[in-house]
Amino acid sequence: MTTSSADWLRSQPTLVGTPPPLDLVALPDDPESLFLDWITAASESGVPEPLAMTLATIGADGIPDARTLIIKDVDGRGWAFASTRASRKREQLSAHPAAALNFWWQPVMRAVRVRGRVVEADAEESAADLAARAPSARAGIGPGEWVLWRVVAERVEFWQGAVDRRHTRIVYERSHESWTHRIVTAHNESPPNGEISA
């Protein structure tokens, strides 16, 4: 049964961006490098607020909870974000130290998904992140109330859309201290670290 809202939603345009060229042969060994390439390309293409991401955590009731905030840093230690100790996310991360991140850059038809365990940075790093905020953003936050966390990723998926719906996914998965990756298209899936023609 259809409803007026379903009809309206179905009538809205989707996948209206323009994806950039994607080199599937020269992929980096780690997802952090590819992410930095993609977010830089998004910014240079004029994507509004490319730092914005959805952070999903798990509530005490076992139901996922999501909100939008910004990425603070990405390196071999993880994917960093921050908030206050009084926040709901801190309560949820204390009980369930795992999270998922999602980036969506519509104008370039690209998305990135990250999931893994969450670790708290040391007090000095959290204090340095707070000090780097604008004075108005620091107002009312006392010493020790600001926390920097990192998602230590176990799986990172890069998605590039296509108007013909033959989307491409590049999936990185952690194997001990290194990464494997595979490429998934509408009709193909390569073995880990395999290559397919673009």
Side-chain angles (χ1 to χ4, degrees):
M1 178 176 133
T2 61
T3 65
S4 59
S5 61
D7 291 340
W8 180 82
L9 290 167
R10 186 169 289 279
S11 73
Q12 300 307 299
T14 59
L15 296 176
V16 294
T18 303
L22 179 59
D23 185 352
L24 296 176
V25 176
L27 293 172
D29 293 333
D30 63 90
E32 296 89 1
S33 297
L34 185 57
F35 176 81
L36 292 171
D37 288 345
W38 275 32
I39 196 171
T40 300
S43 177
E44 292 174 351
S45 296
V47 173
E49 300 194 42
L51 304 182
M53 65 181 185
T54 300
L55 166 70
T57 53
I58 304 168
D61 53 7
I63 297 176
D65 197 3
R67 76 286 286 160
T68 302
L69 64 166
I70 63 170
I71 190 74
K72 293 301 194 97
D73 194 13
V74 178
D75 59 25
R77 297 172 297 171
W79 309 64
F81 62 94
S83 187
T84 62
R85 289 195 183 278
S87 66
R88 178 174 293 181
K89 66 182 73 64
R90 195 276 307 168
E91 295 177 7
Q92 294 172 345
L93 290 171
S94 295
H96 302 283
L101 309 175
N102 189 75
F103 297 83
W104 169 232
W105 302 313
Q106 178 271 326
V108 293
M109 292 172 64
R110 281 180 166 177
V112 181
R113 299 168 60 200
V114 182
R115 64 194 304 258
R117 62 188 175 89
V118 175
V119 297
E120 184 176 324
D122 61 36
E124 291 76 16
E125 285 186 285
S126 294
D129 184 75
L130 177 61
R133 288 166 61 89
S136 59
R138 296 196 303 267
I141 302 175
E145 292 181 11
W146 189 252
V147 187
L148 186 74
W149 290 276
R150 288 188 177 89
V151 177
V152 181
E154 295 295 328
R155 187 180 191 278
V156 183
E157 177 182 314
F158 296 83
W159 180 93
Q160 180 158 307
V163 174
D164 63 5
R165 309 288 171 159
R166 295 171 63 90
H167 312 310
T168 300
R169 292 185 294 138
I170 305 163
V171 181
Y172 283 81
E173 293 179 303
R174 188 183 296 275
S175 177
H176 304 292
E177 295 302 314
S178 62
W179 292 93
T180 60
H181 69 264
R182 66 185 189 279
I183 301 164
V184 183
T185 63
H187 302 293
N188 277 312
E189 179 167 349
S190 71
N193 292 334
E195 297 175 354
I196 63 172
S197 59

